[in-house]
Amino acid sequence: MSESRVVLELRGITKQFPGVLANDHIDFDLRHGEVHALLGENGAGKSTLMSILYGLYSQDEGEILINGERVEIDTPKEAIERGIGMVHQHFMLIPVMTVAENIVLASEPSKAGIVLDYASARARVSELAQSFNFAIDPDARIENISVGQQQRVEILKALYRKADILILDEPTAVLTPQEAEELFGILRSLQRDGMSIIFISHKLNEVLQIADRITVLRRGRKIETLPAEGATEEGLARLMVGREVLLRVDKTPAKPAEPLLQVDDLRVLDDREIETVRGVSLDVHAGEIVGIAGVDGNGQTELVEALTGLRPVLDGRFSVDGRDLTHAGTHHILDAGVGHIPEDRQLRGLVLEFTLAENVALHDFDRRPYSRFGWLRLGRIVERARRILHEFDVRGGGPDTLAKSLSGGNQQKVVVAREVANDPRVLIAAQPTRGLDVGAIEFVHRRLVEERDSGRAVLLVSLELDEILSLSDRILVMYEGEVVGEYGPDVTEEELGVAMLGGTREKEAAA
Amino acid sequence: MSDAETPETPEESTEGTEDTGGAPEPPPENTADRLAQWQKAGGVVAPVVTAVLAFLVGGLVVLGTGSNPIEAYRGIWNGTGLEWFFQVGSYEVGLPFSDTKVWFPWDPSSRAAENLQQTLILTATLILTGLAVAFAFRCGLFNIGGQGQYFVGAYFAIWIGSSFAGMNSFLHIVFAIVAAALAGALWAGIAGILKATVGAHEVITTIMLNWIAYFTGLYLFGQGGPLQNKEQVFSPTSNEVLEDARLPVFWGDPLLQGLHVGLFIALGALVAFWVIVNRTTLGYQVRAVGFNPDAARYGGISVARNYFLAMAISGVFAGLAGAIDMLGWRFSIGFSDIQSGTIGFVGIAVALLGRNTALGVGLSALVFGSLINGTATRNIPPDVFDIPEQAGNLSLTIQALVLLFIGADILILYLWRRTGQVLGVGGRGGLVGKAEPEP
């Protein structure tokens, strides 16, 4: 991308919230036709900065220049008038209305100034979509289209309002990898048409993939603006976090001992009564991490639920340390020494309205020394929680803090802390780093390897191939409810990718 | 988490760099945020505002009917007997179980004292029916069946209280109360079992059980029923509770419906409620299930078992309410009493206004007890309303308004959460605390 004119400049933007300096003299500029990524951990001040630009907040200090001209932006309406469009992470669409209606909303063509001229709205939207090569049906209702398509509607909405600066706030957070690829295609073609794009993210790989320049924020300050060309994930991570971050997990080869978790021909039904786990057999030995890779929805969730007693087993059996637990129920499975980091910490892992101390006690509140004869011993519960929270470096609250007031990363630390502190023999970790940023991911990964090294059997289920590859000592691939392949830690991403899409099974069938 | 309206930064003062996910509390930026902060501040403000609003609008209704609201409320206030506390003087009071008299700052036998006794009789019952709703709420269940559980408890109290002549008085009372409590527990437990096993919604089943209890009562004590009082054939009613099975009156004239010791049972139930909820493993499980059944199940807690237990314990409270009413002041239950019984339903309002906490239920039971007693026709001076029944209607109006405003209060918070979610502020979970009913 050649050096071109600056369309937007932020100078010395400062925003103070009570107790927090959200933006501290941030400078930022956007050139015509570039994708400029704003990178930083959650809490670094990215969204605050963009909210100021979009007129949702007003800055305490600093100025905004558009095409070299100093402007005041006090409302989103003014931002739109200045050609700024923003696609929020959570879409602002009306589910029961059609695509066309949503796009023309607030500046809709009308008949006699009263009645919506739907035909003309529809025509304009089709034309717009075609001119940018968007495949979208203007008559579809928002509630019936995919999240990826909804995002396109949001982008079209900005284009309809004649935006030439587009802000995308964590646009890939809600997308599948395929949808993310499509989004990048759209962004590139918009870029060719002269759109200038600000891309907010905390994911290193996608920033490197899409951006021309990258500005890194940390704790409300701008750390650096650098060209994407020549930047590395490691370098960016260091800028984001402020210290060396191990993106690759440092671990010694596994020393597997006796099998602790043994699963034999397990069959499980999902909520629709469809057999989603179809004869899975696997062993996890003490001292090893076994990773299960697979595209979402191939039975991984149901497998984990069955192994933790949350879903009945249709057929087959599983045992922990030789003890059959197939129909034992969650309580007994946990008692037998299984720790479970669930895939959705807010749905399952935590009672958000409980204090951290109460959450830490979730598995053993009814056992000594945390209760006696049905009476909670709050002193011990709180004391233990304080110790664990300290050990796991949970920040943002103490034992009496409500779980919901913690950030996601710290919530996940509480879950991991509880599961590990119970000293399980088998640790089942499902999507243990979903939604976390690099610092927290590093922590969880390190912890899982430590647990392995202390002789636990770790079963890791993840949709992130990177995570599977960097942590696992053995890798199983699940496809349509079956284990279709087993690989060593040196397998390539491509080989796994083929297996995850059913490639190996079809080969077998052919042979 | 990056979003339009939440500053994503406040983590920094308190938390490190490894944070991610849900935004921490943003500084209050608008009315809804401030309202939510009130809510958190002990949840005291909202119920008080709710009650005050209800009385204000109730006053407007009175004004609309051409009466003077200030006179009406003065009449109600006097009827409650609460002014007794402000009539400080120098009086004597007898100590229980002796002839000793000691000095006392209030007149134990004034007109206000008599009114207050009636208010407290009602308050005691309302505490228990309120707890019956509140306990289930803590487990995420909406127990509409307080009335039916109250009836079943009352039937057993009447049956045992009017039978077993010659039994030791204390044992007789304990027997009747325990049986009534168990009966209430069983009745509510049916809804709990249905919820736990086949997932039948407790709102539906408890309403059905209310009707079963209602018609069973009409049959038992109605014309030709097996428990009908044989001497009073023409207005069907039950047998009278025997003298020995009646709860002792500790304040006022036993012949003029003085205040019975059921009040202490109710206060004891409040303490028990608090202790169970906050200090026992059972309460921990009930709250876990109430807040997040998925997390409870994941934690190894049996959700089904807790649904049953929570309903059964709720039923104990309602059954106790029936018992103290029958053994304390009613002594019999008539066909028409069953037809006009609503005290179990008022318990819903008591629990809601009291926010399902022990202290809250105690205070709101006093509010409703005062309101109902204060608006009783006999307590309103005849010149305030043209038609004396208007007083009772005003009472119902205010009760309804309280419910309406509680609903509105929750609605406001709900809408705030919804908008918050669109903007990424609110996080998961719809209402503020799952203990609230779905709007």
Side-chain angles (χ1 to χ4, degrees), chain A residues 301 304-305 308 310 334 339-351 362-363 411-412 414-416 418-419 427-434 459 461, chain B residues 294-295 298-299:
Chain A
T301 301
V304 169
E305 287 177 350
T308 50
L310 296 167
L334 297 174
H340 174 200
I341 300 170
E343 66 177 30
D344 188 333
R345 62 181 163 265
Q346 300 218 328
L347 176 70
R348 241 181 213 160
L350 294 169
V351 180
L362 191 61
H363 298 318
Q411 287 179 349
Q412 185 71 353
V414 174
V415 174
V416 172
R418 177 183 64 214
E419 299 309 315
L427 184 61
I428 299 176
Q431 315 278 16
T433 58
R434 183 157 82 174
L459 181 65
V461 177
Chain B
D294 288 311
Y298 152 82

Side-chain angles (χ1 to χ4, degrees), chain A residues 218-458:
Chain A
R218 184 170 81 225
R219 301 191 170 212
R221 291 213 180 91
K222 178 178 138 178
I223 302 301
E224 200 175 330
T225 298
L226 67 168
E229 215 171 293
T232 62
E233 290 194 20
E234 285 74 15
L236 290 176
R238 192 174 54 237
L239 290 175
M240 267 171 81
V241 183
R243 59 179 166 81
E244 280 304 325
V245 179
L246 290 172
L247 293 175
R248 289 285 154 188
V249 186
D250 206 10
K251 66 184 172 68
T252 54
K255 301 183 200 69
E258 77 280 8
L260 284 181
L261 173 67
Q262 293 174 291
V263 181
D264 185 26
D265 199 25
L266 201 70
R267 290 171 190 278
V268 182
L269 299 181
D270 69 5
D271 290 334
R272 298 161 299 164
E273 309 255 306
I274 294 167
E275 194 176 313
T276 324
V277 177
R278 305 194 298 176
V280 166
S281 299
L282 58 90
D283 286 342
V284 186
H285 296 253
E288 72 168 349
I289 298 179
V290 172
I292 295 186
V295 178
D296 196 12
N298 275 283
Q300 303 98 313
T301 301
E302 287 77 11
L303 174 67
V304 169
E305 287 177 350
L307 292 180
T308 50
L310 296 167
R311 188 174 282 281
V313 171
L314 181 69
D315 197 17
R317 57 186 293 279
F318 67 90
S319 60
V320 169
D321 206 5
R323 237 178 96 191
D324 186 284
L325 294 170
T326 313
H327 303 289
T330 305
H331 197 79
H332 289 108
I333 291 173
L334 297 174
D335 275 354
V338 175
H340 174 200
I341 300 170
E343 66 177 30
D344 188 333
R345 62 181 163 265
Q346 300 218 328
L347 176 70
R348 241 181 213 160
L350 294 169
V351 180
L352 293 176
E353 293 84 355
F354 266 10
T355 65
L356 296 185
E358 286 173 318
N359 269 298
V360 168
L362 191 61
H363 298 318
D364 51 17
F365 66 91
D366 56 350
R367 244 167 275 152
R368 291 186 189 213
Y370 306 110
S371 65
R372 204 168 50 184
F373 309 122
W375 292 87
L376 295 173
R377 298 166 96 183
L378 293 179
R380 283 165 198 258
I381 288 174
V382 168
E383 187 270 324
R384 187 257 309 250
R386 180 166 292 129
R387 182 163 46 77
I388 289 181
L389 296 179
H390 178 74
E391 186 189 329
F392 282 77
D393 194 26
V394 174
R395 302 185 208 170
D400 297 327
T401 310
L402 291 187
K404 65 179 170 190
S405 66
L406 285 195
S407 66
N410 280 304
Q411 287 179 349
Q412 185 71 353
K413 279 189 194 173
V414 174
V415 174
V416 172
R418 177 183 64 214
E419 299 309 315
V420 169
N422 270 340
D423 199 22
R425 311 221 57 201
V426 174
L427 184 61
I428 299 176
Q431 315 278 16
T433 58
R434 183 157 82 174
L436 304 191
D437 51 30
V438 279
I441 289 174
E442 185 199 19
F443 173 87
V444 172
H445 283 177
R446 207 176 56 226
R447 205 61 220 207
L448 288 176
V449 172
E450 281 171 29
E451 296 311 312
R452 178 198 77 164
D453 292 343
S454 66
R456 304 191 211 284
V458 180

